Coordinates of all heavy atoms in Angstrom, one line a residue:
L1 N -119.4 -235.4 95.6 CA -118.0 -235.6 96.0 C -117.3 -234.3 96.3 O -117.6 -233.3 95.5 CB -117.2 -236.3 94.9 CG -117.6 -237.8 94.7 CD1 -116.8 -238.4 93.5 CD2 -117.3 -238.6 95.9
R2 N -116.5 -234.3 97.2 CA -115.7 -233.1 97.5 C -114.5 -233.0 96.6 O -114.0 -234.0 96.2 CB -115.1 -233.1 99.0 CG -116.2 -233.1 100.0 CD -115.5 -233.0 101.4 NE -116.5 -233.0 102.4 CZ -116.9 -234.0 103.2 NH1 -116.3 -235.2 103.0 NH2 -117.8 -233.9 104.1
P3 N -114.0 -231.8 96.3 CA -112.8 -231.7 95.5 C -111.6 -232.4 96.2 O -111.5 -232.4 97.5 CB -112.5 -230.1 95.5 CG -113.9 -229.5 95.7 CD -114.6 -230.5 96.6
V4 N -110.7 -232.9 95.4 CA -109.6 -233.7 96.0 C -108.8 -232.8 97.0 O -108.4 -233.3 98.0 CB -108.7 -234.2 94.8 CG1 -107.4 -234.8 95.4 CG2 -109.4 -235.2 94.0
K5 N -108.6 -231.5 96.7 CA -107.8 -230.7 97.6 C -108.4 -230.7 99.0 O -107.8 -230.8 100.0 CB -107.7 -229.3 97.0 CG -106.7 -228.4 97.7 CD -106.6 -227.1 97.0 CE -105.5 -226.3 97.7 NZ -105.3 -225.0 96.9
K6 N -109.8 -230.6 99.0 CA -110.5 -230.5 100.3 C -110.4 -231.9 101.0 O -110.3 -232.0 102.2 CB -111.9 -230.1 100.1 CG -112.1 -228.6 99.9 CD -113.5 -228.2 100.0 CE -113.6 -226.7 99.8 NZ -114.9 -226.1 100.1
Q7 N -110.5 -232.9 100.2 CA -110.4 -234.3 100.8 C -109.0 -234.5 101.4 O -108.9 -235.1 102.5 CB -110.7 -235.3 99.8 CG -112.1 -235.4 99.3 CD -112.4 -236.5 98.3 OE1 -111.7 -237.5 98.2 NE2 -113.4 -236.2 97.5
L8 N -108.0 -234.0 100.7 CA -106.6 -234.2 101.3 C -106.4 -233.4 102.5 O -105.8 -233.8 103.5 CB -105.6 -233.8 100.2 CG -105.5 -234.8 99.0 CD1 -104.6 -234.2 97.9 CD2 -105.0 -236.1 99.5
A9 N -107.0 -232.1 102.5 CA -106.9 -231.3 103.7 C -107.6 -232.0 104.9 O -107.1 -232.0 106.0 CB -107.5 -229.9 103.4
R10 N -108.7 -232.6 104.7 CA -109.4 -233.3 105.7 C -108.7 -234.5 106.2 O -108.6 -234.7 107.4 CB -110.8 -233.7 105.2 CG -111.7 -234.2 106.3 CD -113.1 -234.4 105.8 NE -113.9 -235.0 106.8 CZ -115.2 -235.2 106.7 NH1 -115.8 -234.9 105.6 NH2 -115.9 -235.6 107.7
A11 N -108.0 -235.2 105.3 CA -107.2 -236.4 105.7 C -106.1 -235.9 106.5 O -105.7 -236.5 107.6 CB -106.8 -237.1 104.5
D12 N -105.4 -234.8 106.1 CA -104.3 -234.3 106.9 C -104.7 -233.9 108.3 O -104.0 -234.2 109.3 CB -103.6 -233.1 106.1 CG -102.3 -232.7 106.6 OD1 -101.6 -233.5 107.3 OD2 -101.9 -231.5 106.3
K13 N -105.8 -233.2 108.4 CA -106.3 -232.7 109.6 C -106.7 -233.8 110.6 O -106.5 -233.7 111.8 CB -107.5 -231.8 109.4 CG -108.0 -231.1 110.6 CD -109.2 -230.2 110.3 CE -109.7 -229.5 111.6 NZ -110.8 -228.6 111.3
S14 N -107.1 -235.0 110.0 CA -107.5 -236.1 110.8 C -106.3 -236.8 111.4 O -106.4 -237.7 112.3 CB -108.3 -237.1 109.9 OG -107.4 -237.9 109.1
G15 N -105.1 -236.5 110.9 CA -103.9 -237.2 111.5 C -103.4 -238.3 110.6 O -102.4 -239.0 110.9
A16 N -104.0 -238.5 109.5 CA -103.6 -239.6 108.6 C -102.2 -239.3 108.0 O -101.9 -238.2 107.7 CB -104.6 -239.7 107.4
Q17 N -101.4 -240.3 107.9 CA -100.1 -240.1 107.4 C -100.1 -240.2 105.8 O -99.3 -239.5 105.2 CB -99.1 -241.3 107.9 CG -97.7 -241.0 107.5 CD -96.8 -242.0 108.1 OE1 -97.1 -242.8 108.9 NE2 -95.5 -242.0 107.7
F18 N -100.9 -241.0 105.3 CA -101.0 -241.2 103.8 C -102.4 -241.0 103.3 O -103.4 -241.2 104.0 CB -100.6 -242.6 103.4 CG -99.1 -242.9 103.8 CD1 -98.8 -243.6 104.9 CD2 -98.1 -242.6 102.9 CE1 -97.5 -243.9 105.2 CE2 -96.8 -242.9 103.2 CZ -96.5 -243.6 104.3
A19 N -102.5 -240.6 102.0 CA -103.7 -240.5 101.3 C -103.5 -241.2 100.0 O -102.4 -241.0 99.3 CB -104.2 -239.1 101.1
V20 N -104.4 -242.1 99.6 CA -104.3 -242.7 98.2 C -105.3 -242.1 97.3 O -106.5 -242.0 97.6 CB -104.6 -244.2 98.4 CG1 -104.5 -245.0 97.0 CG2 -103.6 -244.9 99.4
I21 N -104.8 -241.7 96.2 CA -105.6 -241.0 95.1 C -105.7 -242.1 94.0 O -104.8 -242.6 93.5 CB -105.0 -239.8 94.6 CG1 -104.8 -238.7 95.7 CG2 -105.8 -239.2 93.5 CD1 -104.0 -237.5 95.4
L22 N -107.0 -242.4 93.7 CA -107.3 -243.4 92.7 C -108.5 -242.9 91.9 O -109.7 -243.2 92.1 CB -107.7 -244.7 93.4 CG -107.8 -245.9 92.6 CD1 -106.5 -246.2 91.9 CD2 -108.1 -247.1 93.4
G23 N -108.1 -242.1 90.9 CA -109.1 -241.5 90.0 C -109.1 -242.3 88.7 O -108.4 -243.3 88.6
S24 N -109.8 -241.8 87.7 CA -109.9 -242.6 86.5 C -108.6 -242.7 85.8 O -108.2 -243.8 85.2 CB -111.0 -242.0 85.6 OG -110.6 -240.6 85.3
S25 N -107.7 -241.7 85.8 CA -106.4 -241.8 85.1 C -105.5 -242.8 85.9 O -104.7 -243.4 85.2 CB -105.8 -240.4 85.0 OG -105.6 -239.9 86.3
E26 N -105.6 -242.8 87.2 CA -104.8 -243.8 87.9 C -105.3 -245.2 87.6 O -104.4 -246.1 87.4 CB -104.9 -243.6 89.4 CG -104.1 -242.4 89.9 CD -104.9 -241.0 89.8 OE1 -106.1 -241.0 89.4 OE2 -104.2 -240.0 90.0
V27 N -106.6 -245.4 87.6 CA -107.1 -246.8 87.2 C -106.7 -247.2 85.8 O -106.2 -248.3 85.6 CB -108.6 -246.8 87.4 CG1 -109.2 -248.1 86.8 CG2 -109.1 -246.6 88.8
E28 N -106.8 -246.2 84.9 CA -106.3 -246.5 83.5 C -104.9 -246.9 83.4 O -104.5 -247.8 82.7 CB -106.6 -245.3 82.6 CG -106.4 -245.5 81.2 CD -106.9 -244.3 80.4 OE1 -108.0 -243.8 80.6 OE2 -106.1 -243.9 79.5
S29 N -104.0 -246.2 84.2 CA -102.6 -246.5 84.1 C -102.2 -247.6 85.1 O -101.0 -248.1 85.0 CB -101.8 -245.2 84.5 OG -101.9 -245.0 85.9
G30 N -103.1 -248.1 85.9 CA -102.7 -249.2 86.9 C -101.8 -248.7 88.0 O -101.2 -249.5 88.6
Q31 N -101.8 -247.4 88.2 CA -101.0 -246.8 89.3 C -101.9 -246.0 90.2 O -102.7 -245.2 89.8 CB -100.0 -245.9 88.7 CG -99.0 -246.5 87.6 CD -97.8 -247.1 88.2 OE1 -97.3 -246.6 89.3 NE2 -97.3 -248.1 87.6
A32 N -101.6 -246.1 91.5 CA -102.2 -245.2 92.5 C -101.3 -244.2 92.9 O -100.0 -244.4 92.9 CB -102.6 -246.0 93.8
T33 N -101.8 -243.0 93.2 CA -100.9 -241.9 93.7 C -101.0 -241.9 95.2 O -102.1 -241.8 95.7 CB -101.4 -240.5 93.1 OG1 -101.3 -240.5 91.7 CG2 -100.5 -239.4 93.7
V34 N -99.9 -242.1 95.8 CA -99.9 -242.1 97.3 C -99.2 -240.9 97.8 O -98.0 -240.6 97.4 CB -99.1 -243.4 97.8 CG1 -99.0 -243.4 99.3 CG2 -99.7 -244.7 97.3
K35 N -99.9 -240.1 98.6 CA -99.4 -238.8 99.1 C -99.0 -239.1 100.6 O -99.8 -239.6 101.3 CB -100.4 -237.7 99.0 CG -100.6 -237.3 97.6 CD -101.5 -236.0 97.6 CE -100.8 -234.8 98.0 NZ -100.0 -234.0 97.0
N36 N -97.8 -238.7 100.9 CA -97.3 -238.8 102.3 C -97.7 -237.4 102.9 O -97.1 -236.4 102.5 CB -95.9 -239.1 102.4 CG -95.4 -239.2 103.8 OD1 -95.8 -238.4 104.7 ND2 -94.5 -240.2 104.1
L37 N -98.7 -237.4 103.7 CA -99.1 -236.1 104.3 C -98.3 -235.5 105.3 O -98.4 -234.3 105.6 CB -100.6 -236.3 104.8 CG -101.6 -236.8 103.8 CD1 -102.9 -237.1 104.6 CD2 -101.8 -235.8 102.7
V38 N -97.3 -236.3 105.9 CA -96.3 -235.8 106.8 C -95.2 -235.1 106.2 O -94.8 -234.0 106.5 CB -95.9 -236.9 107.8 CG1 -94.8 -236.5 108.7 CG2 -97.1 -237.5 108.5
Q39 N -94.6 -235.9 105.2 CA -93.4 -235.4 104.5 C -93.8 -234.5 103.3 O -92.9 -233.9 102.6 CB -92.6 -236.6 104.0 CG -92.0 -237.4 105.2 CD -91.3 -238.6 104.7 OE1 -91.2 -239.0 103.5 NE2 -90.6 -239.2 105.6
K40 N -95.1 -234.4 103.0 CA -95.5 -233.6 101.8 C -94.9 -234.1 100.5 O -94.4 -233.3 99.7 CB -95.2 -232.1 102.0 CG -95.7 -231.6 103.3 CD -97.2 -231.6 103.5 CE -97.7 -231.0 104.7 NZ -99.0 -231.5 105.2
T41 N -94.8 -235.4 100.3 CA -94.3 -236.0 99.1 C -95.4 -236.9 98.5 O -96.4 -237.2 99.1 CB -93.1 -236.8 99.3 OG1 -93.4 -237.9 100.3 CG2 -91.9 -236.0 99.9
Q42 N -95.2 -237.3 97.2 CA -96.1 -238.2 96.6 C -95.3 -239.1 95.7 O -94.3 -238.7 95.2 CB -97.3 -237.5 95.9 CG -96.9 -236.8 94.6 CD -98.2 -236.2 94.0 OE1 -99.0 -235.7 94.6 NE2 -98.3 -236.3 92.7
E43 N -95.9 -240.3 95.5 CA -95.3 -241.2 94.5 C -96.4 -242.1 93.9 O -97.4 -242.2 94.5 CB -94.2 -242.0 95.1 CG -94.6 -242.9 96.3 CD -93.4 -243.5 97.0 OE1 -92.8 -244.4 96.4 OE2 -93.1 -243.1 98.1
S44 N -96.1 -242.6 92.7 CA -96.9 -243.5 92.0 C -96.6 -244.9 92.4 O -95.4 -245.3 92.4 CB -96.9 -243.4 90.5 OG -97.4 -242.1 90.1
V45 N -97.6 -245.7 92.7 CA -97.4 -247.1 93.1 C -98.3 -248.0 92.3 O -99.5 -247.7 92.2 CB -97.7 -247.3 94.6 CG1 -97.5 -248.7 95.0 CG2 -96.9 -246.4 95.5
P46 N -97.7 -249.1 91.7 CA -98.6 -250.0 90.9 C -99.7 -250.5 91.8 O -99.4 -250.9 93.0 CB -97.6 -251.1 90.5 CG -96.3 -250.5 90.5 CD -96.3 -249.4 91.6
L47 N -100.9 -250.6 91.3 CA -102.0 -251.1 92.1 C -101.7 -252.5 92.7 O -102.1 -252.7 93.9 CB -103.3 -251.1 91.3 CG -103.8 -249.7 90.8 CD1 -105.1 -249.9 89.9 CD2 -104.2 -248.9 92.0
V48 N -101.1 -253.3 91.9 CA -100.8 -254.7 92.4 C -99.8 -254.7 93.5 O -99.6 -255.7 94.2 CB -100.4 -255.6 91.2 CG1 -101.5 -255.8 90.2 CG2 -99.1 -255.1 90.6
K49 N -99.1 -253.6 93.7 CA -98.1 -253.5 94.8 C -98.4 -252.6 95.9 O -97.6 -252.3 96.8 CB -96.7 -253.1 94.2 CG -96.2 -254.1 93.2 CD -94.8 -253.9 92.9 CE -94.3 -255.0 92.0 NZ -92.9 -255.2 92.1
L50 N -99.7 -252.2 96.0 CA -100.1 -251.2 97.0 C -100.1 -251.8 98.4 O -99.5 -251.1 99.3 CB -101.5 -250.7 96.7 CG -102.0 -249.4 97.2 CD1 -101.0 -248.3 96.8 CD2 -103.3 -249.0 96.7
A51 N -100.5 -253.0 98.6 CA -100.5 -253.6 99.9 C -99.0 -253.8 100.4 O -98.7 -253.5 101.5 CB -101.2 -254.9 99.9
E52 N -98.2 -254.2 99.4 CA -96.8 -254.4 99.7 C -96.1 -253.1 100.1 O -95.3 -253.0 101.0 CB -96.1 -255.0 98.5 CG -94.6 -255.3 98.6 CD -94.1 -255.9 97.3 OE1 -94.7 -256.8 96.7 OE2 -93.0 -255.5 96.9
F53 N -96.5 -252.0 99.4 CA -95.9 -250.7 99.7 C -96.2 -250.2 101.1 O -95.4 -249.8 101.9 CB -96.6 -249.7 98.7 CG -96.3 -248.2 99.0 CD1 -95.1 -247.6 98.6 CD2 -97.1 -247.4 99.8 CE1 -94.8 -246.3 98.9 CE2 -96.9 -246.1 100.1 CZ -95.7 -245.5 99.6
F54 N -97.5 -250.5 101.6 CA -97.9 -250.1 102.9 C -97.3 -251.0 104.0 O -96.9 -250.5 105.1 CB -99.4 -249.9 103.1 CG -99.9 -248.7 102.5 CD1 -100.6 -248.6 101.3 CD2 -99.6 -247.4 103.0 CE1 -101.1 -247.4 100.7 CE2 -100.1 -246.2 102.5 CZ -100.8 -246.3 101.3
K55 N -97.1 -252.2 103.7 CA -96.5 -253.2 104.6 C -95.1 -252.7 104.8 O -94.6 -252.7 105.9 CB -96.6 -254.6 104.0 CG -96.0 -255.6 105.0 CD -96.1 -257.0 104.4 CE -95.6 -258.0 105.4 NZ -95.7 -259.4 104.9
S56 N -94.4 -252.4 103.8 CA -93.0 -251.9 103.9 C -92.9 -250.6 104.7 O -92.0 -250.5 105.6 CB -92.5 -251.6 102.4 OG -91.2 -251.0 102.5
K57 N -93.8 -249.7 104.5 CA -93.9 -248.4 105.3 C -94.1 -248.7 106.8 O -93.5 -248.1 107.6 CB -94.9 -247.5 104.7 CG -94.6 -246.9 103.3 CD -93.4 -246.1 103.3 CE -93.2 -245.5 101.9 NZ -91.9 -244.7 101.8
S58 N -95.0 -249.7 107.0 CA -95.3 -250.0 108.4 C -94.0 -250.6 109.1 O -93.7 -250.3 110.2 CB -96.4 -251.0 108.4 OG -96.7 -251.4 109.8
Q59 N -93.3 -251.5 108.4 CA -92.1 -252.1 108.9 C -91.0 -251.0 109.2 O -90.4 -251.1 110.1 CB -91.6 -253.2 108.0 CG -92.5 -254.4 108.0 CD -92.0 -255.4 106.9 OE1 -91.3 -255.1 106.0 NE2 -92.5 -256.6 107.0
Q60 N -90.9 -250.1 108.3 CA -89.9 -249.0 108.4 C -90.2 -248.2 109.7 O -89.4 -247.8 110.4 CB -89.9 -248.1 107.2 CG -89.3 -248.7 106.0 CD -89.4 -247.7 104.8 OE1 -90.1 -246.7 104.8 NE2 -88.8 -248.1 103.7
Q61 N -91.5 -247.9 109.9 CA -91.9 -247.1 111.1 C -91.6 -247.9 112.3 O -91.1 -247.3 113.3 CB -93.4 -246.8 111.0 CG -93.8 -245.7 110.0 CD -95.2 -245.4 110.0 OE1 -96.0 -246.2 110.4 NE2 -95.6 -244.2 109.5
Q62 N -91.8 -249.2 112.4 CA -91.6 -250.0 113.6 C -90.0 -250.0 113.8 O -89.6 -249.9 115.0 CB -92.1 -251.4 113.3 CG -93.6 -251.5 113.4 CD -94.1 -252.9 113.1 OE1 -93.4 -253.8 112.9 NE2 -95.4 -253.1 113.3
E63 N -89.3 -250.1 112.7 CA -87.8 -250.1 112.9 C -87.3 -248.8 113.4 O -86.5 -248.7 114.3 CB -87.1 -250.5 111.6 CG -87.3 -251.9 111.2 CD -86.8 -252.2 109.8 OE1 -86.3 -251.3 109.1 OE2 -87.0 -253.4 109.3
D64 N -87.9 -247.7 112.9 CA -87.5 -246.4 113.4 C -87.8 -246.1 114.8 O -87.1 -245.4 115.5 CB -88.2 -245.3 112.5 CG -87.7 -245.2 111.1 OD1 -86.7 -245.8 110.8 OD2 -88.4 -244.6 110.3
R65 N -88.9 -246.8 115.3 CA -89.3 -246.6 116.8 C -88.3 -247.3 117.7 O -88.1 -246.9 118.8 CB -90.7 -247.1 116.9 CG -91.7 -246.2 116.5 CD -93.1 -246.6 116.9 NE -94.0 -246.4 115.8 CZ -95.0 -247.2 115.3 NH1 -95.2 -248.3 115.9 NH2 -95.7 -246.8 114.4
H66 N -87.7 -248.4 117.1 CA -86.8 -249.2 118.0 C -85.3 -248.8 117.9 O -84.5 -249.4 118.5 CB -86.9 -250.7 117.6 CG -88.2 -251.2 117.8 ND1 -88.7 -251.3 119.1 CD2 -89.2 -251.8 117.0 CE1 -90.0 -251.9 119.1 NE2 -90.2 -252.1 117.8
V67 N -85.0 -247.7 117.2 CA -83.7 -247.2 117.0 C -83.4 -246.2 118.1 O -84.1 -245.6 118.6 CB -83.5 -246.6 115.6 CG1 -82.1 -245.9 115.5 CG2 -83.6 -247.7 114.6

């Protein structure tokens, strides 16, 4: 496995907007770390709400395009 820092750099270079970090500590806590590679922010999202989180982000982007 590559170090997380290199994986994030590769994701950023690929044009990905988000990266989800799911290591043993995240699994244990039931939270995924979601990094916004565009805004350079991160937040913890409950695993059970991860799909809802991305659905919400997708809807926000669509609304932003229509404004």
Side-chain angles (χ1 to χ4, degrees):
L1 290 174
R2 292 185 181 105
V4 173
K5 189 173 184 176
K6 284 191 176 192
Q7 290 180 25
L8 291 172
R10 187 172 181 174
D12 192 23
K13 187 176 179 181
S14 78
Q17 183 176 356
F18 295 98
V20 178
I21 300 171
L22 192 59
S24 58
S25 62
E26 286 83 8
V27 171
E28 188 175 308
S29 70
Q31 303 269 332
T33 299
V34 179
K35 291 189 72 89
N36 184 318
L37 301 173
V38 175
Q39 297 177 350
K40 307 298 184 205
T41 60
Q42 74 178 40
E43 58 188 291
S44 292
V45 178
L47 293 176
V48 297
K49 296 196 176 203
L50 204 51
E52 185 179 314
F53 172 85
F54 283 109
K55 184 177 179 181
S56 169
K57 293 294 183 185
S58 176
Q59 288 173 344
Q60 286 175 355
Q61 287 179 339
Q62 288 177 358
E63 290 170 4
D64 289 347
R65 284 188 217 139
H66 295 298
V67 172

